[in-house]
Amino acid sequence: MFRYIEKEARDSITAALEKLGIKVPPEIKLEEPPNPQLGDLASTVSFELAGELRRAPIEITADIMSVIETPEIFETIESKGPYINFFVDYGRFSSRLLESIQDDYGSHPPREERVILEHTSANPNGPLHIGHIRNAIIGDSLARILRMAGYDVETQYYVNDMGRQIAMIVWGLLNLDGDLEDYPGDKMDHRVGKLYFEVNQRLKENPGIRDEVDELIRKYEAGENEELFRKVVEYCLSGMEETMKRLHVHHDRFVWEGQFVRDGTVDRVIESLRKTGYTGENDVLYLDLEEFGLEKELVLTRSDGTSLYSTRDIAYHLQKSEEGDVIIDVLGSDHKLAAEQVGIAVELLGGKRPEVIFYEFITLPEGSMSTRRGVFISVDELMDEAHSRALHEVKKRRDLPDDVADDIAESIGNGAIRYYIARLSPEKHIVFRWDDALSFERGCASIQYAHARACKLLEKASFTGEEDIEDGWKPEGDERELVRLLARFPVVVEESALARRVHPVAQYAQDLANTFNSFYRSTPVIGSDFEGARLRLVDSVRKTLRNALNLLGIHAPETM
């Protein structure tokens, strides 16, 4: 409906310009005024025409205002200096909007664009930790937003089964006492992490182990020990998938990097890169990128001839280029150079350069985490802590059966983690603070509470969805602001998808919840003269909050 309002405003300006014999510009720009007193939309078309017409914008606006006709969806059109301001007829528009809001509100028609979105892709050498979680949440939320915006999306997890970390774990299984089941931990990925830590300790004591690990990598590339390598990776991934499922993070496909060595793709990539004329060789084969503005070359093979992650990554991106129209990677900001190098190599071979969403890191006030040192906060521990804190808050507020309180606490705890991370632009560093994340006055819990409050009100009113919208209903105050916000939701989805950003949806959900909570306190619903209209409004808020939270991978509870 918001796009409909924009179209009506543009059409009225276009008709006025044609009446005046003024050439219509390619784009008639509209913006939302900072103050509702200035209308719902404002056009700057007079500024755009001033240069060509050699006239002051305010004069052009006066001419337009003398002939412009007001579409029925607007109450009035006024000039505010050189601006042309449109005021929506909320008596007419609000009813139309509420009639249009169905369960899938915010969804857009299918686009003929296939997106391959890779995210998370943490090495399977231990549990996911807080250093990985921002990648997973950004990637999963963006996939949801892109799908609602009409894109055909496949999410992929790139499994590093050929890296040194996995070879170290295999070395541990071959040389240390015990199997993976013998290591401490309730989950498989935690046991792998314990073994990986122990092998790192052995490496510190005996650096010569590195040569044995290198030999394992060579043998694996040659086809030896495949079963053991696969066992380690699958064992760890099983535990990681449990964590991601609990966090509502989903991947459509797991792509193992080893396949690109096995099927000869890596060898073909290296040969193709040689033919570009940009390769050089000393102890290793490398890609000279100086001509592309990068002083650091991209090393393509180890000195012993085995492949590197970068080479396999090029092969992977060429596959993604064949499968998708748009390629999106989510990476930490410390990968900027590597991503630029791989992007150049992929383009040299005729592939699509990926769009990369870089994010800054997230830490707890106590410090950052490292799998290698064995000192880290796992995502499992983070979720357990969130659940425990949320359960304390729930029990403090209501006397509920244990199982009900437990379910609500899980929704609140996981929602707090996902929302706290999603709400900020990826370029900003995050320090995760529990008091802010789990606040019932702001943040995710307040949004979930607004949804639960709407559900309770509708239940109390025995709402059926068939209630009539009374004649004469013309929203004012918080009621009008709710209508304005509801109208914008499809636009927020579309713009977030185009910008490849998640945080606008998070901010929108908070704005809608805040306005609804204010409306709830100030505006009578049941028993009012406009009970039907207001119940339909509450139901529309419920649907929109639920859909917005779903885009962020957050459950919308019906009770709290």
Side-chain angles (χ1 to χ4, degrees), residues 119-314:
H119 67 83
T120 312
S121 298
N123 289 333
N125 64 327
L128 293 171
H129 62 68
I130 200 169
H132 303 127
I133 197 172
R134 195 171 193 184
N135 189 313
I137 289 172
I138 290 172
D140 183 75
S141 300
L142 181 59
R144 293 165 183 263
I145 291 167
L146 289 167
R147 287 191 182 105
M148 183 166 261
Y151 293 88
D152 175 17
V153 181
E154 179 175 281
T155 52
Q156 295 185 0
Y157 188 116
Y158 187 42
V159 181
N160 180 355
D161 61 313
M162 303 201 83
R164 180 175 297 278
Q165 294 95 333
I166 309 306
M168 288 168 62
I169 296 165
V170 170
W171 182 92
L173 290 176
L174 292 171
N175 293 275
L176 303 178
D177 293 332
D179 199 357
L180 285 168
E181 294 293 340
D182 299 320
Y183 282 83
D186 294 331
K187 290 175 72 251
M188 295 177 177
D189 47 341
H190 286 260
R191 296 184 198 118
V192 172
K194 296 292 185 184
L195 174 55
Y196 180 66
F197 175 68
E198 184 173 336
V199 173
N200 262 295
Q201 297 301 107
R202 296 295 182 101
L203 264 172
K204 288 179 183 178
E205 298 164 7
N206 180 9
I209 292 173
R210 181 176 294 275
D211 294 333
E212 297 176 36
V213 172
D214 289 342
E215 181 62 22
L216 281 173
I217 294 172
R218 283 191 292 273
K219 287 182 176 180
Y220 183 51
E221 286 208 14
E224 296 185 38
N225 292 322
E226 282 191 46
E227 187 176 333
L228 188 52
F229 270 77
R230 179 167 284 276
K231 172 188 173 182
V232 166
V233 173
E234 288 180 342
Y235 191 92
C236 191
L237 278 177
S238 295
M240 297 165 85
E241 286 185 79
E242 285 180 34
T243 302
M244 290 187 285
K245 183 178 180 180
R246 184 180 174 191
L247 196 60
H248 306 152
V249 171
H250 173 74
H251 291 88
D252 299 311
R253 184 175 166 196
F254 287 76
V255 180
W256 289 50
E257 66 170 340
Q259 75 180 56
F260 300 108
V261 174
R262 302 269 183 272
D263 65 11
T265 304
V266 167
D267 289 338
R268 290 191 293 273
V269 164
I270 291 172
E271 189 57 34
S272 297
L273 287 171
R274 285 183 190 274
K275 292 177 181 178
T276 64
Y278 289 103
T279 59
E281 204 159 355
N282 39 46
D283 288 338
V284 296
L285 180 69
Y286 63 89
L287 192 64
D288 186 347
L289 301 175
E290 193 169 349
E291 187 175 316
F292 302 93
L294 296 181
E295 293 182 9
K296 190 170 179 60
E297 69 276 0
L298 176 62
V299 178
L300 299 173
T301 60
R302 293 188 178 95
S303 56
D304 61 7
T306 53
S307 64
L308 286 169
Y309 182 89
S310 57
T311 326
R312 301 188 292 268
D313 204 22
I314 294 167

Side-chain angles (χ1 to χ4, degrees), residues 259-408:
Q259 75 180 56
F260 300 108
V261 174
R262 302 269 183 272
D263 65 11
T265 304
V266 167
D267 289 338
R268 290 191 293 273
V269 164
I270 291 172
E271 189 57 34
S272 297
L273 287 171
R274 285 183 190 274
K275 292 177 181 178
T276 64
Y278 289 103
T279 59
E281 204 159 355
N282 39 46
D283 288 338
V284 296
L285 180 69
Y286 63 89
L287 192 64
D288 186 347
L289 301 175
E290 193 169 349
E291 187 175 316
F292 302 93
L294 296 181
E295 293 182 9
K296 190 170 179 60
E297 69 276 0
L298 176 62
V299 178
L300 299 173
T301 60
R302 293 188 178 95
S303 56
D304 61 7
T306 53
S307 64
L308 286 169
Y309 182 89
S310 57
T311 326
R312 301 188 292 268
D313 204 22
I314 294 167
Y316 174 41
H317 278 85
L318 289 172
Q319 175 178 285
K320 288 195 281 188
S321 294
E322 293 174 359
E323 295 176 347
D325 303 303
V326 178
I327 313 302
I328 301 176
D329 295 343
V330 183
L331 296 170
S333 58
D334 58 334
H335 287 76
K336 285 184 179 179
L337 175 60
E340 181 71 10
Q341 291 172 322
V342 168
I344 293 169
V346 169
E347 281 192 322
L348 279 173
L349 299 181
K352 300 180 182 77
R353 182 186 284 240
E355 299 177 27
V356 185
I357 300 168
F358 292 109
Y359 61 90
E360 290 299 326
F361 292 96
I362 174 170
T363 57
L364 290 169
E366 292 78 14
S368 60
M369 281 56 64
S370 167
T371 312
R372 182 170 288 113
R373 293 197 310 272
V375 181
F376 60 85
I377 303 297
S378 71
V379 175
D380 297 308
E381 291 171 304
L382 192 71
M383 288 191 290
D384 287 345
E385 180 70 13
H387 180 100
S388 175
R389 289 173 181 253
L391 186 61
H392 175 73
E393 291 295 327
V394 170
K395 288 187 172 181
K396 191 167 68 175
R397 286 168 166 76
R398 291 186 66 187
D399 183 19
L400 295 167
D402 287 347
D403 59 335
V404 175
D406 207 55
D407 286 344
I408 294 172

